[in-house]
PDB file of all heavy atoms in Angstrom:
ATOM      1  N   TRP A 221      -8.597  -3.407  21.382  1.00 81.00           N
ATOM      2  CA  TRP A 221      -9.356  -4.634  21.139  1.00 81.00           C
ATOM      3  C   TRP A 221     -10.539  -4.775  22.080  1.00 81.00           C
ATOM      4  O   TRP A 221     -11.570  -5.332  21.697  1.00 81.00           O
ATOM      5  CB  TRP A 221      -8.435  -5.853  21.252  1.00 81.00           C
ATOM      6  CG  TRP A 221      -7.426  -5.920  20.156  1.00 81.00           C
ATOM      7  CD1 TRP A 221      -6.077  -5.746  20.256  1.00 81.00           C
ATOM      8  CD2 TRP A 221      -7.696  -6.139  18.765  1.00 81.00           C
ATOM      9  NE1 TRP A 221      -5.477  -5.848  19.026  1.00 81.00           N
ATOM     10  CE2 TRP A 221      -6.444  -6.103  18.085  1.00 81.00           C
ATOM     11  CE3 TRP A 221      -8.855  -6.373  18.023  1.00 81.00           C
ATOM     12  CZ2 TRP A 221      -6.337  -6.283  16.714  1.00 81.00           C
ATOM     13  CZ3 TRP A 221      -8.745  -6.554  16.661  1.00 81.00           C
ATOM     14  CH2 TRP A 221      -7.503  -6.509  16.008  1.00 81.00           C
ATOM     15  N   PHE A 222     -10.412  -4.286  23.308  1.00 86.00           N
ATOM     16  CA  PHE A 222     -11.551  -4.363  24.224  1.00 86.00           C
ATOM     17  C   PHE A 222     -12.696  -3.487  23.714  1.00 86.00           C
ATOM     18  O   PHE A 222     -13.866  -3.890  23.723  1.00 86.00           O
ATOM     19  CB  PHE A 222     -11.137  -3.935  25.630  1.00 86.00           C
ATOM     20  CG  PHE A 222     -12.220  -4.109  26.654  1.00 86.00           C
ATOM     21  CD1 PHE A 222     -12.677  -5.370  27.011  1.00 86.00           C
ATOM     22  CD2 PHE A 222     -12.809  -2.999  27.261  1.00 86.00           C
ATOM     23  CE1 PHE A 222     -13.678  -5.533  27.950  1.00 86.00           C
ATOM     24  CE2 PHE A 222     -13.812  -3.149  28.199  1.00 86.00           C
ATOM     25  CZ  PHE A 222     -14.253  -4.426  28.547  1.00 86.00           C
ATOM     26  N   GLY A 223     -12.366  -2.289  23.249  1.00 83.00           N
ATOM     27  CA  GLY A 223     -13.389  -1.432  22.654  1.00 83.00           C
ATOM     28  C   GLY A 223     -13.980  -2.056  21.412  1.00 83.00           C
ATOM     29  O   GLY A 223     -15.180  -1.935  21.145  1.00 83.00           O
ATOM     30  N   ALA A 224     -13.144  -2.770  20.639  1.00 81.00           N
ATOM     31  CA  ALA A 224     -13.632  -3.448  19.433  1.00 81.00           C
ATOM     32  C   ALA A 224     -14.648  -4.527  19.795  1.00 81.00           C
ATOM     33  O   ALA A 224     -15.686  -4.671  19.137  1.00 81.00           O
ATOM     34  CB  ALA A 224     -12.468  -4.058  18.664  1.00 81.00           C
ATOM     35  N   VAL A 225     -14.347  -5.283  20.855  1.00 84.00           N
ATOM     36  CA  VAL A 225     -15.277  -6.334  21.290  1.00 84.00           C
ATOM     37  C   VAL A 225     -16.597  -5.724  21.756  1.00 84.00           C
ATOM     38  O   VAL A 225     -17.681  -6.211  21.410  1.00 84.00           O
ATOM     39  CB  VAL A 225     -14.638  -7.183  22.407  1.00 84.00           C
ATOM     40  CG1 VAL A 225     -15.673  -8.116  23.025  1.00 84.00           C
ATOM     41  CG2 VAL A 225     -13.473  -7.987  21.859  1.00 84.00           C
ATOM     42  N   LEU A 226     -16.528  -4.660  22.536  1.00 87.00           N
ATOM     43  CA  LEU A 226     -17.752  -4.024  23.041  1.00 87.00           C
ATOM     44  C   LEU A 226     -18.604  -3.461  21.901  1.00 87.00           C
ATOM     45  O   LEU A 226     -19.815  -3.705  21.825  1.00 87.00           O
ATOM     46  CB  LEU A 226     -17.397  -2.902  24.024  1.00 87.00           C
ATOM     47  CG  LEU A 226     -16.927  -3.320  25.421  1.00 87.00           C
ATOM     48  CD1 LEU A 226     -16.490  -2.093  26.213  1.00 87.00           C
ATOM     49  CD2 LEU A 226     -18.032  -4.058  26.161  1.00 87.00           C
ATOM     50  N   LEU A 227     -17.964  -2.696  21.003  1.00 83.00           N
ATOM     51  CA  LEU A 227     -18.713  -2.086  19.910  1.00 83.00           C
ATOM     52  C   LEU A 227     -19.259  -3.146  18.959  1.00 83.00           C
ATOM     53  O   LEU A 227     -20.414  -3.066  18.515  1.00 83.00           O
ATOM     54  CB  LEU A 227     -17.820  -1.109  19.145  1.00 83.00           C
ATOM     55  CG  LEU A 227     -18.476  -0.343  17.990  1.00 83.00           C
ATOM     56  CD1 LEU A 227     -19.665   0.471  18.478  1.00 83.00           C
ATOM     57  CD2 LEU A 227     -17.463   0.562  17.296  1.00 83.00           C
ATOM     58  N   SER A 228     -18.450  -4.151  18.666  1.00 80.00           N
ATOM     59  CA  SER A 228     -18.892  -5.204  17.756  1.00 80.00           C
ATOM     60  C   SER A 228     -20.045  -5.996  18.363  1.00 80.00           C
ATOM     61  O   SER A 228     -21.036  -6.304  17.681  1.00 80.00           O
ATOM     62  CB  SER A 228     -17.723  -6.143  17.439  1.00 80.00           C
ATOM     63  OG  SER A 228     -16.668  -5.444  16.823  1.00 80.00           O
ATOM     64  N   SER A 229     -19.940  -6.330  19.634  1.00 85.00           N
ATOM     65  CA  SER A 229     -21.001  -7.098  20.295  1.00 85.00           C
ATOM     66  C   SER A 229     -22.302  -6.312  20.319  1.00 85.00           C
ATOM     67  O   SER A 229     -23.381  -6.856  20.059  1.00 85.00           O
ATOM     68  CB  SER A 229     -20.574  -7.464  21.721  1.00 85.00           C
ATOM     69  OG  SER A 229     -19.401  -8.238  21.720  1.00 85.00           O
TER      70      SER A 229
END
Side-chain angles (χ1 to χ4, degrees):
W221 292 111
F222 185 66
V225 170
L226 285 174
L227 182 59
S228 300
S229 300

